[in-house]
């Protein structure tokens, strides 16, 4: 799965969660409407207000959904949650702490409505603070009046005392049974909220938990992908080294041609993933020689027809070896086509001109250049002048003239 596909799935999930919430809210509204029609007009007015509030709540949830879905940046989602929570619940301040299970620590990631720097740099370890208590008990912690507490409970956040908060709620954010963080509500006056208010707070907390969970999931997948890529690339380098050893290539031939090919490709305007695929392909260009016996590979004289027939298979061996590795599916052009020639006289397919994929046309020049400058079992290294003259001479025959030009610029 590519990052993009994962992202799309996450977005679908968010959409889905949003719709379920919307349906639940609608059902509540319908029930409310039924009750209302049986009661008096004052209640009807109140119900009307309630419906308006429900709509506003829905809108708030929707905004949070959009923030979550349109960004993989958790901080933006959290900012939207704290913002909507404060506005919808009409409370003075809101903070959101996320939990790091490795450090066993809560960190304040979002704040809204504070007058001081309170909580800005707060990190709570286990056993500290109200937020941590709510999380530990898996239950909303409600303190109606902080002033009535025996001791001011925010031992690690002395600034909070200056805020003059009275009412406090700490709601644990739980997804898949695990604590993801805590949503905290602060108000500077006593507050006796309706069941509707409490429901909405719970809904917001649920939404926040899902947002954090999905973001962690996404980051986890990204990291796993990156680690995998690194492990793969290390494997490729080891593989290339093993071949160098058998092919009696000079030490570092693979890395050298790879680096030169990337530089040349860049000078021709290739970028991003194209360079990544080219790099991997270059590293593995001669991996198909693994299928060529030593007596041919290490022969000191010229090859006879039968030996050439086998040697000409090495690009096909490479393709057969690598084609089922999905990680390398974009990196096969070079192993497969690095011996094709611009004039159509190459192998294995006899492709000509731009039928030959550009990475392979780029690589062919670099490969021949490096081979000529190396001692091979079948001949000694050529001097640089002679090799350069050969490359120039083969422009339009073996090599793509445009690439030869770029190569000569690069080697100047
Ligand atoms: P390689 O040694 O890595 O050479 C890669 C490519 O560089 C060759 O592809 C060829 O295009 C160019 N090249 C290398 N040495 C020379 C040279 O002395 N003169 C010229 N004009 N071009 C050279 P090619 O020819 O398709 O060969 C593929 C592989 O076959 C070579 O890879 C090498 O492993 C083997 N090979 C080629 N010629 C001989 C040979 O005379 N004896 C032996 N034992 N192996 C050979
Ligand atoms: C990818 O799927 O890894 C990139 C897209 C492509 O180059 O086909
Ligand atoms: C909190 O629980 O968010 C405040 C920090 C503390 O209790 O020290
Ligand atoms: C993929 O395309 O599946 C990821 C591997 C890569 O970076 O090419
Ligand atoms: Fe080759
Ligand atoms: Fe080579």
């Amino acid at each position: 799965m590519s990052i993009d596909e994962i992202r799309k799935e996450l977005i679908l999930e968010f959409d889905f969660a949003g719709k379920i919430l919307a349906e639940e809210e609608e059902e509540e509204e319908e029930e409310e409407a039924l009750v209302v029609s049986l009661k008096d007009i004052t209640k009807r007015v109140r119900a009307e207000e309630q419906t308006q509030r429900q709509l506003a709540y829905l809108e708030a949830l929707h905004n949070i959904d959009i923030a979550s879905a349109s960004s993989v940046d958790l901080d933006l989602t959290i900012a939207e949650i704290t913002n909507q929570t404060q506005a919808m619940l009409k409370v003075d301040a809101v903070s959101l702490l996320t939990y790091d299970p490795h450090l066993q620590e809560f960190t304040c990631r979002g704040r809204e409505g504070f007058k001081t720097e309170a909580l800005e740099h707060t990190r709570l370890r286990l056993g500290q603070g109200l937020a941590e208590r709510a999380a530990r008990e898996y239950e909303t912690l409600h303190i109606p009046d902080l002033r009535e507490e025996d001791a001011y409970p925010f031992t690690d956040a002395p600034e909070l005392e200056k805020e003059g908060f009275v009412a406090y709620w700490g709601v644990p954010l739980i997804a898949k049974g695990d604590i993801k963080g805590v949503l905290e509500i602060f108000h500077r006056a006593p507050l006796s909220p309706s069941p509707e208010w409490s429901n909405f707070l719970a809904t917001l907390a649920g939404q926040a938990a899902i947002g954090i969970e999905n973001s962690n999931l996404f980051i986890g997948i990204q990291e796993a992908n990156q680690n995998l890529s690194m492990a793969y690339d290390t494997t490729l380098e080891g593989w290339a080294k093993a071949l160098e050893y058998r092919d009696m290539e000079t030490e570092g031939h693979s890395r050298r041609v790879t680096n030169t090919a990337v530089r040349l490709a860049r000078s021709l305007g290739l970028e991003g993933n194209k360079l990544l695929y080219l790099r991997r392909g270059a590293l593995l260009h001669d991996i198909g020689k693994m299928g060529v016996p030593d007596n041919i590979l290490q022969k000191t004289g010229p090859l006879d027809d039968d030996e050439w027939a086998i040697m000409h298979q090495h690009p096909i061996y490479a393709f057969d070896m690598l084609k089922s590795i999905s990680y390398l599916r974009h990196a096969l052009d070079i192993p497969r086509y690095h011996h094709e020639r611009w004039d159509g006289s190459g192998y294995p397919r006899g492709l000509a001109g731009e039928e030959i994929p550009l990475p392979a046309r780029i690589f062919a020049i670099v490969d021949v250049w490096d081979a000529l400058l190396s001692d091979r079992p079948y001949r000694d290294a050529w001097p640089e002048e002679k090799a350069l003259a050969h490359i120039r001479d083969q422009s339009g025959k073996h090599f793509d003239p445009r690439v030869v030009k770029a190569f000569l610029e690069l080697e100047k």
Side-chain angles (χ1 to χ4, degrees):
M1 240 198 218
S2 72
I3 296 286
D4 260 3
E5 285 164 334
I6 292 158
R7 218 180 101 71
K8 270 179 211 138
E9 281 209 355
L10 291 185
I11 291 170
L12 282 179
E13 243 173 72
F14 278 117
D15 277 357
F16 186 60
K19 281 195 192 100
I20 291 188
L21 286 169
E23 278 162 16
E24 281 171 4
E25 299 281 337
E26 270 166 23
E27 273 168 26
E28 275 175 32
E29 273 170 44
E30 280 166 16
E31 278 165 27
E32 238 100 67
L34 197 67
V35 173
V36 165
S37 67
L38 302 171
K39 306 248 167 120
D40 65 38
I41 195 82
T42 342
K43 287 207 173 140
R44 184 184 292 270
V45 169
R46 205 175 296 152
E48 190 60 39
E49 287 166 4
Q50 205 169 31
T51 304
Q52 290 306 321
R53 256 199 315 278
Q54 294 282 10
L55 284 174
Y57 284 174
L58 267 185
E59 171 117 22
L61 286 177
H62 187 61
N63 287 338
I64 293 170
D65 272 346
I66 290 171
S68 316
S70 62
S71 164
V72 292
D73 184 349
L74 181 58
D75 288 314
L76 288 181
T77 306
I78 287 177
E80 192 62 27
I81 289 168
T82 52
N83 184 301
Q84 296 287 354
T85 303
Q86 192 215 12
M88 290 295 117
L89 296 181
K90 300 186 167 50
V91 290
D92 289 323
V94 175
S95 75
L96 196 152
L97 298 93
T98 56
Y99 181 60
D100 181 334
H102 300 298
L103 297 176
Q104 301 202 326
E105 206 173 70
F106 290 87
T107 310
C108 183
R109 288 283 287 273
R111 331 158 51 244
E112 196 72 43
F114 290 87
K115 291 175 178 164
T116 67
E117 307 259 281
L119 292 183
E120 183 146 19
H121 306 292
T122 292
R123 286 171 177 277
L124 297 177
R125 304 299 308 255
L126 288 181
Q128 294 175 325
L130 291 182
E132 187 277 334
R133 207 170 101 200
R136 187 162 20 94
E137 292 171 1
Y138 265 65
E139 216 169 61
T140 296
L141 173 63
H142 176 205
I143 299 179
D145 195 336
L146 291 165
R147 297 164 302 187
E148 286 172 9
E149 294 293 292
D150 286 343
Y152 201 72
F154 300 108
T155 47
D156 275 24
E159 299 249 70
L160 270 182
E161 204 159 352
K162 297 186 201 130
E163 292 275 356
F165 292 135
V166 175
Y168 172 88
W169 279 262
V171 189
L173 308 179
I174 300 165
K176 295 190 185 146
D178 292 325
I179 292 291
K180 300 296 166 191
V182 177
L183 182 63
E184 295 186 294
I185 306 288
F186 303 86
H187 202 58
R188 295 192 176 89
L191 202 64
S192 36
S194 65
E196 192 188 5
W197 186 99
S198 304
N199 270 341
F200 190 57
L201 174 56
T203 304
L204 285 166
Q207 200 72 350
I210 293 171
I212 296 168
E213 162 76 4
N214 283 347
S215 158
N216 288 344
L217 216 66
F218 182 78
I219 290 166
I221 289 164
Q222 255 179 337
E223 273 170 6
N225 238 349
Q226 218 151 49
N227 290 340
L228 199 68
S229 279
M230 268 162 63
Y232 265 125
D233 285 347
T234 309
T235 307
L236 299 193
E237 274 167 39
W239 224 358
K241 265 221 172 71
L243 174 69
E244 264 171 32
Y245 186 73
R246 263 199 72 216
D247 194 22
M248 320 291 265
E249 291 257 27
T250 50
E251 160 95 33
H253 164 74
S254 306
R255 175 159 316 151
R256 215 163 43 235
V257 289
T258 299
N259 290 342
T260 310
V262 169
R263 273 198 305 139
L264 181 54
R266 201 177 270 135
S267 84
L268 283 158
L270 274 71
E271 50 187 24
N273 277 350
K274 292 206 164 111
L275 289 180
L276 181 70
Y277 303 144
L278 181 132
R279 208 185 89 75
R280 290 175 185 157
L283 216 40
L284 294 176
H285 70 277
D286 265 345
I287 202 71
K289 283 186 181 169
M290 288 286 190
V292 176
D294 275 351
N295 65 317
I296 299 176
L297 207 54
Q298 295 173 8
K299 190 174 175 185
T300 49
L303 304 176
D304 66 28
D305 288 353
D306 291 343
E307 289 165 342
W308 263 122
I310 293 171
M311 183 56 82
H312 282 168
Q313 296 294 309
H314 82 274
I316 297 170
Y317 294 155
F319 181 69
D320 287 342
M321 279 170 82
L322 304 177
K323 69 181 175 202
S324 58
I325 304 175
S326 71
Y327 163 83
L328 294 173
R329 71 186 185 280
H330 302 295
L332 297 179
D333 283 345
I334 290 175
R336 195 179 187 186
Y337 298 125
H338 69 286
H339 287 294
E340 300 289 352
R341 293 175 177 225
W342 183 253
D343 63 10
S345 68
Y347 61 94
R349 302 260 308 265
L351 301 177
E354 293 187 352
E355 286 173 358
I356 307 165
L358 180 59
R361 278 181 269 144
I362 291 170
F363 185 77
I365 295 179
V366 177
D367 189 36
V368 170
W369 168 251
D370 199 87
L372 292 176
L373 292 184
S374 308
D375 287 328
R376 305 297 289 125
Y378 54 94
R379 55 143 182 80
D380 290 336
W382 287 14
E384 241 184 74
E385 279 311 308
K386 188 177 170 190
L388 264 186
H390 177 76
I391 303 278
R392 238 182 250 119
D393 174 67
Q394 289 298 312
S395 177
K397 300 175 197 164
H398 189 160
F399 307 124
D400 177 349
R402 186 169 69 100
V403 184
V404 170
K405 198 162 164 272
F407 178 79
L408 295 175
E409 284 291 310
L410 208 66
E411 288 300 320
K412 245 196 317 216

